[in-house]
Amino acid sequence: MKIAAIDIGSNAARLQISTVLHVDDVISFKKVEYVRFPLRLGHDVFNFGEITPESEVRTNKLMQVYKLLMELHEVEDYMACATSAMREAANGQKVATRIKELTGIDIHIIDGQKEAELINNVVVQALDERQFLHIDVGGGSTELNLYLNRQKVNSKSFKIGSVRLLEGKETKGAWNKMREWVEENVQRSQELVAVGTGGNINKIFNLVSKVDDTTSLAEIERMRNYISGYSLEDRINKLRLNADRADVIVPAADIYISVMKWAGADTIIVPDLGLKDGIIQLVYERWIKKQQKKK
């Protein structure tokens, strides 16, 4: 069977379709389709407080495309979630309602806590008993989750993200609040390793020196400075970054670097997991419950 996840963020909207694999009693998910489109809803919301009619039209068209792809793949169940931009938009729920009327796709506007929970459900699988600080940088928000012995012991969502920084619209005092939270919650007596999720850290990770899924703070800083030395045009043409990645990758890197320094983390694990993977897992669990009720 195939299931799908739609993640509508502040920078881009993603569709992932996965096949459910059964090996003995172990369930896993194999990605068979992945589409990412740069809607950049955060530009509207962080500047004007709402989603513009032009962006609503583009979102409608994209949801129609995603619906057709799911139909072609014969997807049995899916879930669509929207995060920071749509939940902060004054007209976010109205836009979601109109999209459902036009496309049939029901968009769930989730809060920062639910977003962190969905990501947590998949990220925790990559951890061991050490102390980890999970940093998830999106376009509009950053979610921090602290783990010890594979258990989440604290978490916080901050209104600071790559698109928000690019637009100069970060919440006043957000940097200080994030630093205070890190310094108050990280246990300095224990080793701490950072865990990074999000499109920007994945891209940076692909460019740096690493061992398996781990690299150093120094390497992240080196690549950040290397990229920032190029103009936007050269980042696109010489470094071959997508236009919607080229302008936000440095602001995003600044968040990862700052949090790692505050926490005293010298290394970072980048497991290539995110909200879409958490949604996929939730969709499967929901599907299983539906089947059990039918029996």
Side-chain angles (χ1 to χ4, degrees):
M1 64 173 286
K2 293 178 183 177
I3 55 179
I6 297 174
D7 166 14
I8 305 171
S10 300
N11 191 26
R14 304 164 181 82
L15 166 70
Q16 179 169 311
I17 299 174
S18 296
T19 298
V20 180
L21 302 177
H22 301 260
V23 179
D24 298 326
D25 293 328
V26 179
I27 302 297
S28 61
F29 307 104
K30 179 184 178 183
K31 181 168 61 179
V32 295
E33 185 77 73
Y34 176 71
V35 183
R36 175 185 181 276
F37 186 84
L39 283 174
R40 195 58 70 91
L41 295 180
H43 171 76
D44 290 359
V45 178
F46 306 146
N47 282 288
F48 313 119
E50 62 181 17
I51 296 167
T52 63
E54 294 80 9
S55 289
E56 182 176 342
V57 168
R58 295 201 311 151
T59 305
N60 261 312
K61 288 180 178 179
L62 186 62
M63 292 304 107
Q64 289 171 26
V65 170
Y66 285 176
K67 183 179 181 182
L68 287 172
L69 276 172
M70 289 192 291
E71 289 176 357
L72 286 169
H73 277 280
E74 299 180 344
V75 165
E76 293 197 36
D77 201 1
Y78 79 95
M79 186 174 184
C81 293
T83 56
S84 183
M86 194 168 277
R87 70 176 170 244
E88 288 186 37
N91 59 344
Q93 191 56 61
K94 291 181 179 178
V95 168
T97 299
R98 288 194 290 265
I99 288 173
K100 183 178 181 181
E101 291 171 352
L102 287 168
T103 69
I105 291 182
D106 187 8
I107 298 172
H108 300 266
I109 301 175
I110 59 175
D111 59 24
Q113 184 176 356
K114 183 64 177 180
E115 183 179 354
E117 177 189 321
L118 289 170
I119 300 170
N120 163 69
N121 290 340
V122 288
V123 168
V124 71
Q125 299 168 22
L127 308 182
D128 54 36
E129 286 71 29
R130 291 175 293 174
Q131 183 180 205
F132 291 90
L133 180 58
H134 172 218
I135 311 163
D136 182 71
V137 178
S141 65
T142 294
E143 321 300 329
L144 299 183
N145 303 282
L146 189 63
Y147 296 86
L148 193 60
N149 296 321
R150 301 187 79 245
Q151 297 293 320
K152 185 162 70 172
V153 294
N154 214 332
S155 65
K156 186 75 173 177
S157 178
F158 298 89
K159 288 186 178 181
I160 185 168
S162 58
V163 177
R164 204 186 288 269
L165 282 178
L166 182 69
E167 302 284 350
K169 300 295 182 180
E170 66 271 23
T171 303
K172 186 178 180 180
W175 283 107
N176 288 334
K177 289 178 182 177
M178 190 157 58
R179 179 172 187 163
E180 288 170 2
W181 187 91
V182 171
E183 293 176 345
E184 288 173 4
N185 288 280
V186 168
Q187 296 183 25
R188 294 288 180 168
S189 59
Q190 297 194 35
E191 175 192 8
L192 182 133
V193 178
V195 180
T197 55
N200 288 295
I201 195 65
N202 287 336
K203 187 62 182 180
I204 293 169
F205 185 74
N206 289 336
L207 299 172
V208 302
S209 301
K210 62 241 180 200
V211 177
D212 297 325
D213 62 354
T214 303
T215 191
S216 66
L217 170 60
E219 276 296 294
I220 299 295
E221 284 191 285
R222 182 184 67 81
M223 186 51 60
R224 181 260 181 224
N225 294 333
Y226 175 75
I227 294 170
S228 69
Y230 285 85
S231 66
L232 182 60
E233 184 178 355
D234 284 345
R235 292 180 199 177
I236 295 168
N237 293 300
K238 293 182 179 179
L239 301 184
R240 304 178 72 84
L241 296 176
N242 290 337
D244 68 298
R245 179 76 66 209
D247 58 354
V248 296
I249 193 167
V250 171
D254 289 339
I255 299 175
Y256 289 104
I257 291 166
S258 296
V259 173
M260 287 181 71
K261 285 183 175 179
W262 298 334
D266 295 321
T267 59
I268 183 169
I269 296 171
V270 184
D272 193 21
L273 295 169
L275 179 59
K276 56 185 171 42
D277 302 283
I279 297 171
I280 286 285
Q281 184 166 302
L282 179 63
V283 169
Y284 177 72
E285 292 170 356
R286 186 176 68 179
W287 184 84
I288 286 295
K289 289 179 181 178
K290 288 179 182 177
Q291 302 312 304
Q292 291 172 343
K293 287 182 179 179
K294 291 179 181 178
K295 293 180 181 178

